[in-house]
PDB file of all heavy atoms in Angstrom:
ATOM      1  N   LYS S   1      26.213 190.520 165.812  1.00  0.00           N
ATOM      2  CA  LYS S   1      26.851 191.818 165.556  1.00  0.00           C
ATOM      3  C   LYS S   1      25.951 192.707 164.690  1.00  0.00           C
ATOM      4  O   LYS S   1      25.754 193.889 164.989  1.00  0.00           O
ATOM      5  CB  LYS S   1      28.205 191.639 164.884  1.00  0.00           C
ATOM      6  CG  LYS S   1      28.902 192.982 164.638  1.00  0.00           C
ATOM      7  CD  LYS S   1      30.189 192.842 163.885  1.00  0.00           C
ATOM      8  CE  LYS S   1      30.892 194.152 163.600  1.00  0.00           C
ATOM      9  NZ  LYS S   1      30.125 195.342 163.470  1.00  0.00           N
ATOM     10  N   LEU S   2      25.407 192.134 163.611  1.00  0.00           N
ATOM     11  CA  LEU S   2      24.505 192.904 162.757  1.00  0.00           C
ATOM     12  C   LEU S   2      23.276 193.367 163.538  1.00  0.00           C
ATOM     13  O   LEU S   2      22.864 194.531 163.441  1.00  0.00           O
ATOM     14  CB  LEU S   2      24.072 192.078 161.547  1.00  0.00           C
ATOM     15  CG  LEU S   2      25.091 191.870 160.443  1.00  0.00           C
ATOM     16  CD1 LEU S   2      24.586 190.847 159.431  1.00  0.00           C
ATOM     17  CD2 LEU S   2      25.414 193.184 159.754  1.00  0.00           C
ATOM     18  N   ALA S   3      22.699 192.452 164.308  1.00  0.00           N
ATOM     19  CA  ALA S   3      21.505 192.795 165.088  1.00  0.00           C
ATOM     20  C   ALA S   3      21.806 193.929 166.058  1.00  0.00           C
ATOM     21  O   ALA S   3      21.025 194.880 166.186  1.00  0.00           O
ATOM     22  CB  ALA S   3      20.989 191.568 165.832  1.00  0.00           C
ATOM     23  N   MET S   4      22.947 193.864 166.722  1.00  0.00           N
ATOM     24  CA  MET S   4      23.318 194.908 167.675  1.00  0.00           C
ATOM     25  C   MET S   4      23.593 196.234 166.962  1.00  0.00           C
ATOM     26  O   MET S   4      23.124 197.294 167.400  1.00  0.00           O
ATOM     27  CB  MET S   4      24.538 194.489 168.498  1.00  0.00           C
ATOM     28  CG  MET S   4      24.920 195.509 169.552  1.00  0.00           C
ATOM     29  SD  MET S   4      23.604 195.870 170.743  1.00  0.00           S
ATOM     30  CE  MET S   4      23.834 194.512 171.870  1.00  0.00           C
ATOM     31  N   ASP S   5      24.336 196.178 165.866  1.00  0.00           N
ATOM     32  CA  ASP S   5      24.632 197.403 165.114  1.00  0.00           C
ATOM     33  C   ASP S   5      23.349 198.077 164.644  1.00  0.00           C
ATOM     34  O   ASP S   5      23.188 199.300 164.769  1.00  0.00           O
ATOM     35  CB  ASP S   5      25.531 197.102 163.911  1.00  0.00           C
ATOM     36  CG  ASP S   5      26.952 196.734 164.296  1.00  0.00           C
ATOM     37  OD1 ASP S   5      27.340 196.909 165.476  1.00  0.00           O
ATOM     38  OD2 ASP S   5      27.683 196.253 163.405  1.00  0.00           O
ATOM     39  N   TRP S   6      22.447 197.292 164.082  1.00  0.00           N
ATOM     40  CA  TRP S   6      21.195 197.852 163.561  1.00  0.00           C
ATOM     41  C   TRP S   6      20.286 198.344 164.681  1.00  0.00           C
ATOM     42  O   TRP S   6      19.635 199.380 164.545  1.00  0.00           O
ATOM     43  CB  TRP S   6      20.482 196.836 162.682  1.00  0.00           C
ATOM     44  CG  TRP S   6      21.183 196.560 161.390  1.00  0.00           C
ATOM     45  CD1 TRP S   6      22.092 197.353 160.738  1.00  0.00           C
ATOM     46  CD2 TRP S   6      21.057 195.389 160.586  1.00  0.00           C
ATOM     47  NE1 TRP S   6      22.513 196.753 159.579  1.00  0.00           N
ATOM     48  CE2 TRP S   6      21.906 195.550 159.453  1.00  0.00           C
ATOM     49  CE3 TRP S   6      20.315 194.221 160.701  1.00  0.00           C
ATOM     50  CZ2 TRP S   6      22.000 194.585 158.448  1.00  0.00           C
ATOM     51  CZ3 TRP S   6      20.427 193.264 159.699  1.00  0.00           C
ATOM     52  CH2 TRP S   6      21.260 193.444 158.584  1.00  0.00           C
ATOM     53  N   THR S   7      20.234 197.608 165.784  1.00  0.00           N
ATOM     54  CA  THR S   7      19.406 198.040 166.910  1.00  0.00           C
ATOM     55  C   THR S   7      19.930 199.342 167.489  1.00  0.00           C
ATOM     56  O   THR S   7      19.176 200.299 167.682  1.00  0.00           O
ATOM     57  CB  THR S   7      19.370 196.945 167.999  1.00  0.00           C
ATOM     58  OG1 THR S   7      18.863 195.729 167.425  1.00  0.00           O
ATOM     59  CG2 THR S   7      18.483 197.351 169.163  1.00  0.00           C
ATOM     60  N   LYS S   8      21.234 199.398 167.772  1.00  0.00           N
ATOM     61  CA  LYS S   8      21.834 200.628 168.322  1.00  0.00           C
ATOM     62  C   LYS S   8      21.692 201.788 167.343  1.00  0.00           C
ATOM     63  O   LYS S   8      21.349 202.907 167.733  1.00  0.00           O
ATOM     64  CB  LYS S   8      23.315 200.406 168.624  1.00  0.00           C
ATOM     65  CG  LYS S   8      23.595 199.744 169.926  1.00  0.00           C
ATOM     66  CD  LYS S   8      25.099 199.697 170.148  1.00  0.00           C
ATOM     67  CE  LYS S   8      25.440 199.196 171.522  1.00  0.00           C
ATOM     68  NZ  LYS S   8      26.897 199.143 171.741  1.00  0.00           N
ATOM     69  N   GLY S   9      21.973 201.531 166.071  1.00  0.00           N
ATOM     70  CA  GLY S   9      21.881 202.584 165.070  1.00  0.00           C
ATOM     71  C   GLY S   9      20.483 203.153 164.958  1.00  0.00           C
ATOM     72  O   GLY S   9      20.293 204.373 164.882  1.00  0.00           O
ATOM     73  N   THR S  10      19.506 202.272 164.966  1.00  0.00           N
ATOM     74  CA  THR S  10      18.111 202.718 164.895  1.00  0.00           C
ATOM     75  C   THR S  10      17.757 203.530 166.133  1.00  0.00           C
ATOM     76  O   THR S  10      17.173 204.611 166.035  1.00  0.00           O
ATOM     77  CB  THR S  10      17.163 201.512 164.756  1.00  0.00           C
ATOM     78  OG1 THR S  10      17.520 200.757 163.600  1.00  0.00           O
ATOM     79  CG2 THR S  10      15.719 201.964 164.643  1.00  0.00           C
ATOM     80  N   TRP S  11      18.132 203.010 167.302  1.00  0.00           N
ATOM     81  CA  TRP S  11      17.778 203.680 168.553  1.00  0.00           C
ATOM     82  C   TRP S  11      18.454 205.051 168.650  1.00  0.00           C
ATOM     83  O   TRP S  11      17.845 206.015 169.114  1.00  0.00           O
ATOM     84  CB  TRP S  11      18.140 202.794 169.736  1.00  0.00           C
ATOM     85  CG  TRP S  11      17.444 203.213 170.995  1.00  0.00           C
ATOM     86  CD1 TRP S  11      18.010 203.783 172.086  1.00  0.00           C
ATOM     87  CD2 TRP S  11      16.044 203.106 171.278  1.00  0.00           C
ATOM     88  NE1 TRP S  11      17.049 204.045 173.033  1.00  0.00           N
ATOM     89  CE2 TRP S  11      15.833 203.638 172.567  1.00  0.00           C
ATOM     90  CE3 TRP S  11      14.941 202.625 170.557  1.00  0.00           C
ATOM     91  CZ2 TRP S  11      14.576 203.702 173.160  1.00  0.00           C
ATOM     92  CZ3 TRP S  11      13.689 202.680 171.154  1.00  0.00           C
ATOM     93  CH2 TRP S  11      13.518 203.213 172.430  1.00  0.00           C
ATOM     94  N   GLU S  12      19.701 205.134 168.198  1.00  0.00           N
ATOM     95  CA  GLU S  12      20.425 206.410 168.241  1.00  0.00           C
ATOM     96  C   GLU S  12      19.873 207.431 167.254  1.00  0.00           C
ATOM     97  O   GLU S  12      20.069 208.635 167.424  1.00  0.00           O
ATOM     98  CB  GLU S  12      21.911 206.175 167.967  1.00  0.00           C
ATOM     99  CG  GLU S  12      22.612 205.451 169.104  1.00  0.00           C
ATOM    100  CD  GLU S  12      24.003 204.951 168.745  1.00  0.00           C
ATOM    101  OE1 GLU S  12      24.442 205.119 167.573  1.00  0.00           O
ATOM    102  OE2 GLU S  12      24.651 204.367 169.635  1.00  0.00           O
ATOM    103  N   ASN S  13      19.191 206.972 166.235  1.00  0.00           N
ATOM    104  CA  ASN S  13      18.617 207.854 165.211  1.00  0.00           C
ATOM    105  C   ASN S  13      17.091 207.800 165.217  1.00  0.00           C
ATOM    106  O   ASN S  13      16.443 208.080 164.205  1.00  0.00           O
ATOM    107  CB  ASN S  13      19.154 207.462 163.828  1.00  0.00           C
ATOM    108  CG  ASN S  13      20.633 207.728 163.721  1.00  0.00           C
ATOM    109  OD1 ASN S  13      21.051 208.863 163.556  1.00  0.00           O
ATOM    110  ND2 ASN S  13      21.437 206.688 163.848  1.00  0.00           N
ATOM    111  N   LEU S  14      16.535 207.463 166.361  1.00  0.00           N
ATOM    112  CA  LEU S  14      15.099 207.236 166.481  1.00  0.00           C
ATOM    113  C   LEU S  14      14.267 208.446 166.075  1.00  0.00           C
ATOM    114  O   LEU S  14      13.273 208.311 165.366  1.00  0.00           O
ATOM    115  CB  LEU S  14      14.760 206.818 167.916  1.00  0.00           C
ATOM    116  CG  LEU S  14      13.425 206.135 168.122  1.00  0.00           C
ATOM    117  CD1 LEU S  14      13.361 204.836 167.334  1.00  0.00           C
ATOM    118  CD2 LEU S  14      13.201 205.857 169.600  1.00  0.00           C
ATOM    119  N   ALA S  15      14.679 209.634 166.486  1.00  0.00           N
ATOM    120  CA  ALA S  15      13.894 210.836 166.169  1.00  0.00           C
ATOM    121  C   ALA S  15      13.782 211.039 164.659  1.00  0.00           C
ATOM    122  O   ALA S  15      12.694 211.324 164.140  1.00  0.00           O
ATOM    123  CB  ALA S  15      14.512 212.063 166.834  1.00  0.00           C
ATOM    124  N   GLN S  16      14.888 210.856 163.943  1.00  0.00           N
ATOM    125  CA  GLN S  16      14.860 211.018 162.490  1.00  0.00           C
ATOM    126  C   GLN S  16      14.005 209.936 161.832  1.00  0.00           C
ATOM    127  O   GLN S  16      13.242 210.214 160.897  1.00  0.00           O
ATOM    128  CB  GLN S  16      16.271 210.957 161.917  1.00  0.00           C
ATOM    129  CG  GLN S  16      17.113 212.164 162.244  1.00  0.00           C
ATOM    130  CD  GLN S  16      18.484 212.049 161.624  1.00  0.00           C
ATOM    131  OE1 GLN S  16      18.601 212.003 160.400  1.00  0.00           O
ATOM    132  NE2 GLN S  16      19.508 211.994 162.453  1.00  0.00           N
ATOM    133  N   CYS S  17      14.135 208.705 162.318  1.00  0.00           N
ATOM    134  CA  CYS S  17      13.351 207.605 161.756  1.00  0.00           C
ATOM    135  C   CYS S  17      11.861 207.832 162.004  1.00  0.00           C
ATOM    136  O   CYS S  17      11.044 207.696 161.086  1.00  0.00           O
ATOM    137  CB  CYS S  17      13.798 206.269 162.353  1.00  0.00           C
ATOM    138  SG  CYS S  17      15.478 205.790 161.892  1.00  0.00           S
ATOM    139  N   ASP S  18      11.516 208.193 163.244  1.00  0.00           N
ATOM    140  CA  ASP S  18      10.112 208.418 163.578  1.00  0.00           C
ATOM    141  C   ASP S  18       9.522 209.578 162.783  1.00  0.00           C
ATOM    142  O   ASP S  18       8.370 209.520 162.343  1.00  0.00           O
ATOM    143  CB  ASP S  18       9.945 208.668 165.076  1.00  0.00           C
ATOM    144  CG  ASP S  18      10.082 207.391 165.902  1.00  0.00           C
ATOM    145  OD1 ASP S  18      10.169 206.295 165.314  1.00  0.00           O
ATOM    146  OD2 ASP S  18      10.097 207.505 167.143  1.00  0.00           O
ATOM    147  N   GLU S  19      10.307 210.630 162.583  1.00  0.00           N
ATOM    148  CA  GLU S  19       9.835 211.776 161.802  1.00  0.00           C
ATOM    149  C   GLU S  19       9.497 211.343 160.367  1.00  0.00           C
ATOM    150  O   GLU S  19       8.469 211.742 159.817  1.00  0.00           O
ATOM    151  CB  GLU S  19      10.899 212.872 161.802  1.00  0.00           C
ATOM    152  CG  GLU S  19      10.498 214.120 161.060  1.00  0.00           C
ATOM    153  CD  GLU S  19      11.596 215.169 161.078  1.00  0.00           C
ATOM    154  OE1 GLU S  19      12.263 215.324 162.112  1.00  0.00           O
ATOM    155  OE2 GLU S  19      11.777 215.826 160.035  1.00  0.00           O
ATOM    156  N   LEU S  20      10.363 210.540 159.773  1.00  0.00           N
ATOM    157  CA  LEU S  20      10.105 210.054 158.416  1.00  0.00           C
ATOM    158  C   LEU S  20       8.871 209.152 158.368  1.00  0.00           C
ATOM    159  O   LEU S  20       8.087 209.210 157.419  1.00  0.00           O
ATOM    160  CB  LEU S  20      11.320 209.309 157.863  1.00  0.00           C
ATOM    161  CG  LEU S  20      12.418 210.191 157.295  1.00  0.00           C
ATOM    162  CD1 LEU S  20      13.714 209.408 157.124  1.00  0.00           C
ATOM    163  CD2 LEU S  20      11.979 210.789 155.966  1.00  0.00           C
ATOM    164  N   ILE S  21       8.694 208.328 159.378  1.00  0.00           N
ATOM    165  CA  ILE S  21       7.529 207.436 159.425  1.00  0.00           C
ATOM    166  C   ILE S  21       6.250 208.263 159.526  1.00  0.00           C
ATOM    167  O   ILE S  21       5.314 208.070 158.744  1.00  0.00           O
ATOM    168  CB  ILE S  21       7.642 206.438 160.605  1.00  0.00           C
ATOM    169  CG1 ILE S  21       8.784 205.446 160.354  1.00  0.00           C
ATOM    170  CG2 ILE S  21       6.316 205.693 160.807  1.00  0.00           C
ATOM    171  CD1 ILE S  21       9.190 204.635 161.567  1.00  0.00           C
ATOM    172  N   VAL S  22       6.205 209.182 160.475  1.00  0.00           N
ATOM    173  CA  VAL S  22       4.992 209.988 160.691  1.00  0.00           C
ATOM    174  C   VAL S  22       4.672 210.836 159.466  1.00  0.00           C
ATOM    175  O   VAL S  22       3.518 210.943 159.057  1.00  0.00           O
ATOM    176  CB  VAL S  22       5.127 210.868 161.959  1.00  0.00           C
ATOM    177  CG1 VAL S  22       3.995 211.879 162.060  1.00  0.00           C
ATOM    178  CG2 VAL S  22       5.159 209.989 163.201  1.00  0.00           C
ATOM    179  N   SER S  23       5.704 211.404 158.838  1.00  0.00           N
ATOM    180  CA  SER S  23       5.455 212.247 157.673  1.00  0.00           C
ATOM    181  C   SER S  23       5.060 211.426 156.436  1.00  0.00           C
ATOM    182  O   SER S  23       4.599 211.988 155.447  1.00  0.00           O
ATOM    183  CB  SER S  23       6.678 213.108 157.359  1.00  0.00           C
ATOM    184  OG  SER S  23       7.747 212.316 156.881  1.00  0.00           O
ATOM    185  N   SER S  24       5.212 210.115 156.513  1.00  0.00           N
ATOM    186  CA  SER S  24       4.885 209.249 155.376  1.00  0.00           C
ATOM    187  C   SER S  24       3.592 208.470 155.579  1.00  0.00           C
ATOM    188  O   SER S  24       3.201 207.677 154.723  1.00  0.00           O
ATOM    189  CB  SER S  24       6.038 208.272 155.115  1.00  0.00           C
ATOM    190  OG  SER S  24       7.211 208.986 154.797  1.00  0.00           O
ATOM    191  N   THR S  25       2.954 208.678 156.715  1.00  0.00           N
ATOM    192  CA  THR S  25       1.655 208.050 156.957  1.00  0.00           C
ATOM    193  C   THR S  25       0.598 209.140 156.924  1.00  0.00           C
ATOM    194  O   THR S  25       0.851 210.271 157.326  1.00  0.00           O
ATOM    195  CB  THR S  25       1.612 207.330 158.325  1.00  0.00           C
ATOM    196  OG1 THR S  25       1.925 208.259 159.346  1.00  0.00           O
ATOM    197  CG2 THR S  25       2.578 206.172 158.378  1.00  0.00           C
ATOM    198  N   ILE S  26      -0.558 208.801 156.454  1.00  0.00           N
ATOM    199  CA  ILE S  26      -1.643 209.772 156.374  1.00  0.00           C
ATOM    200  C   ILE S  26      -2.493 209.644 157.635  1.00  0.00           C
ATOM    201  O   ILE S  26      -3.121 208.611 157.873  1.00  0.00           O
ATOM    202  CB  ILE S  26      -2.504 209.534 155.115  1.00  0.00           C
ATOM    203  CG1 ILE S  26      -1.622 209.669 153.875  1.00  0.00           C
ATOM    204  CG2 ILE S  26      -3.678 210.495 155.063  1.00  0.00           C
ATOM    205  CD1 ILE S  26      -2.271 209.230 152.593  1.00  0.00           C
ATOM    206  N   LYS S  27      -2.442 210.695 158.446  1.00  0.00           N
ATOM    207  CA  LYS S  27      -3.250 210.765 159.669  1.00  0.00           C
ATOM    208  C   LYS S  27      -2.946 209.642 160.665  1.00  0.00           C
ATOM    209  O   LYS S  27      -3.820 209.194 161.392  1.00  0.00           O
ATOM    210  CB  LYS S  27      -4.736 210.769 159.328  1.00  0.00           C
ATOM    211  CG  LYS S  27      -5.159 211.946 158.484  1.00  0.00           C
ATOM    212  CD  LYS S  27      -6.627 211.893 158.173  1.00  0.00           C
ATOM    213  CE  LYS S  27      -6.999 213.017 157.223  1.00  0.00           C
ATOM    214  NZ  LYS S  27      -8.385 212.968 156.816  1.00  0.00           N
ATOM    215  N   TRP S  28      -1.702 209.164 160.675  1.00  0.00           N
ATOM    216  CA  TRP S  28      -1.319 208.125 161.629  1.00  0.00           C
ATOM    217  C   TRP S  28      -0.144 208.611 162.454  1.00  0.00           C
ATOM    218  O   TRP S  28       0.963 208.752 161.947  1.00  0.00           O
ATOM    219  CB  TRP S  28      -0.897 206.846 160.897  1.00  0.00           C
ATOM    220  CG  TRP S  28      -2.035 206.031 160.401  1.00  0.00           C
ATOM    221  CD1 TRP S  28      -2.817 206.289 159.329  1.00  0.00           C
ATOM    222  CD2 TRP S  28      -2.539 204.827 160.965  1.00  0.00           C
ATOM    223  NE1 TRP S  28      -3.770 205.329 159.180  1.00  0.00           N
ATOM    224  CE2 TRP S  28      -3.622 204.403 160.180  1.00  0.00           C
ATOM    225  CE3 TRP S  28      -2.180 204.060 162.065  1.00  0.00           C
ATOM    226  CZ2 TRP S  28      -4.349 203.255 160.457  1.00  0.00           C
ATOM    227  CZ3 TRP S  28      -2.898 202.906 162.328  1.00  0.00           C
ATOM    228  CH2 TRP S  28      -3.975 202.521 161.531  1.00  0.00           C
ATOM    229  N   GLY S  29      -0.370 208.858 163.712  1.00  0.00           N
ATOM    230  CA  GLY S  29       0.727 209.171 164.619  1.00  0.00           C
ATOM    231  C   GLY S  29       1.376 207.870 165.074  1.00  0.00           C
ATOM    232  O   GLY S  29       0.814 206.775 164.901  1.00  0.00           O
ATOM    233  N   LEU S  30       2.544 207.978 165.659  1.00  0.00           N
ATOM    234  CA  LEU S  30       3.243 206.781 166.146  1.00  0.00           C
ATOM    235  C   LEU S  30       2.417 206.014 167.167  1.00  0.00           C
ATOM    236  O   LEU S  30       2.466 204.793 167.222  1.00  0.00           O
ATOM    237  CB  LEU S  30       4.591 207.159 166.763  1.00  0.00           C
ATOM    238  CG  LEU S  30       5.714 207.442 165.791  1.00  0.00           C
ATOM    239  CD1 LEU S  30       6.960 207.871 166.540  1.00  0.00           C
ATOM    240  CD2 LEU S  30       6.020 206.234 164.935  1.00  0.00           C
ATOM    241  N   SER S  31       1.647 206.734 167.972  1.00  0.00           N
ATOM    242  CA  SER S  31       0.861 206.074 169.019  1.00  0.00           C
ATOM    243  C   SER S  31      -0.224 205.163 168.448  1.00  0.00           C
ATOM    244  O   SER S  31      -0.678 204.239 169.122  1.00  0.00           O
ATOM    245  CB  SER S  31       0.229 207.113 169.942  1.00  0.00           C
ATOM    246  OG  SER S  31      -0.672 207.931 169.221  1.00  0.00           O
ATOM    247  N   ARG S  32      -0.619 205.392 167.206  1.00  0.00           N
ATOM    248  CA  ARG S  32      -1.644 204.555 166.577  1.00  0.00           C
ATOM    249  C   ARG S  32      -1.072 203.305 165.915  1.00  0.00           C
ATOM    250  O   ARG S  32      -1.823 202.399 165.550  1.00  0.00           O
ATOM    251  CB  ARG S  32      -2.407 205.352 165.516  1.00  0.00           C
ATOM    252  CG  ARG S  32      -3.341 206.378 166.120  1.00  0.00           C
ATOM    253  CD  ARG S  32      -4.246 206.981 165.086  1.00  0.00           C
ATOM    254  NE  ARG S  32      -5.111 205.983 164.479  1.00  0.00           N
ATOM    255  CZ  ARG S  32      -5.740 206.148 163.313  1.00  0.00           C
ATOM    256  NH1 ARG S  32      -5.588 207.262 162.643  1.00  0.00           N
ATOM    257  NH2 ARG S  32      -6.498 205.204 162.825  1.00  0.00           N
ATOM    258  N   LEU S  33       0.242 203.267 165.745  1.00  0.00           N
ATOM    259  CA  LEU S  33       0.854 202.127 165.075  1.00  0.00           C
ATOM    260  C   LEU S  33       0.948 200.930 166.006  1.00  0.00           C
ATOM    261  O   LEU S  33       1.260 201.074 167.190  1.00  0.00           O
ATOM    262  CB  LEU S  33       2.261 202.471 164.582  1.00  0.00           C
ATOM    263  CG  LEU S  33       2.386 203.533 163.501  1.00  0.00           C
ATOM    264  CD1 LEU S  33       3.849 203.756 163.163  1.00  0.00           C
ATOM    265  CD2 LEU S  33       1.620 203.129 162.260  1.00  0.00           C
ATOM    266  N   CYS S  34       0.712 199.761 165.455  1.00  0.00           N
ATOM    267  CA  CYS S  34       0.938 198.508 166.177  1.00  0.00           C
ATOM    268  C   CYS S  34       2.419 198.479 166.577  1.00  0.00           C
ATOM    269  O   CYS S  34       3.282 198.799 165.755  1.00  0.00           O
ATOM    270  CB  CYS S  34       0.576 197.354 165.243  1.00  0.00           C
ATOM    271  SG  CYS S  34       1.284 195.770 165.652  1.00  0.00           S
ATOM    272  N   PRO S  35       2.747 198.121 167.818  1.00  0.00           N
ATOM    273  CA  PRO S  35       4.151 198.136 168.254  1.00  0.00           C
ATOM    274  C   PRO S  35       5.091 197.296 167.386  1.00  0.00           C
ATOM    275  O   PRO S  35       6.235 197.687 167.157  1.00  0.00           O
ATOM    276  CB  PRO S  35       4.089 197.582 169.680  1.00  0.00           C
ATOM    277  CG  PRO S  35       2.706 197.889 170.142  1.00  0.00           C
ATOM    278  CD  PRO S  35       1.847 197.783 168.909  1.00  0.00           C
ATOM    279  N   VAL S  36       4.599 196.185 166.877  1.00  0.00           N
ATOM    280  CA  VAL S  36       5.437 195.349 166.009  1.00  0.00           C
ATOM    281  C   VAL S  36       5.703 196.075 164.694  1.00  0.00           C
ATOM    282  O   VAL S  36       6.852 196.142 164.234  1.00  0.00           O
ATOM    283  CB  VAL S  36       4.782 193.969 165.752  1.00  0.00           C
ATOM    284  CG1 VAL S  36       5.570 193.175 164.723  1.00  0.00           C
ATOM    285  CG2 VAL S  36       4.661 193.182 167.054  1.00  0.00           C
TER     286      VAL S  36
END
């Protein structure tokens, strides 16, 4: 249940999460990140 809730929640808010990640990395776009 936790895994599903967190997976769905992350996926539904992916744009916001990705924006925070990209804005917090220096010169690293999402495409440069290791998939894991």
Side-chain angles (χ1 to χ4, degrees):
K1 181 184 179 332
L2 286 171
M4 183 58 83
D5 289 348
W6 291 338
T7 302
K8 278 185 173 180
T10 303
W11 197 250
E12 290 168 358
N13 294 283
L14 198 62
Q16 289 181 63
C17 294
D18 285 353
E19 182 181 321
L20 279 165
I21 292 167
V22 170
S23 69
S24 299
T25 57
I26 300 170
K27 299 180 185 176
W28 282 75
L30 282 177
S31 63
R32 288 190 62 199
L33 295 179
C34 159
V36 173

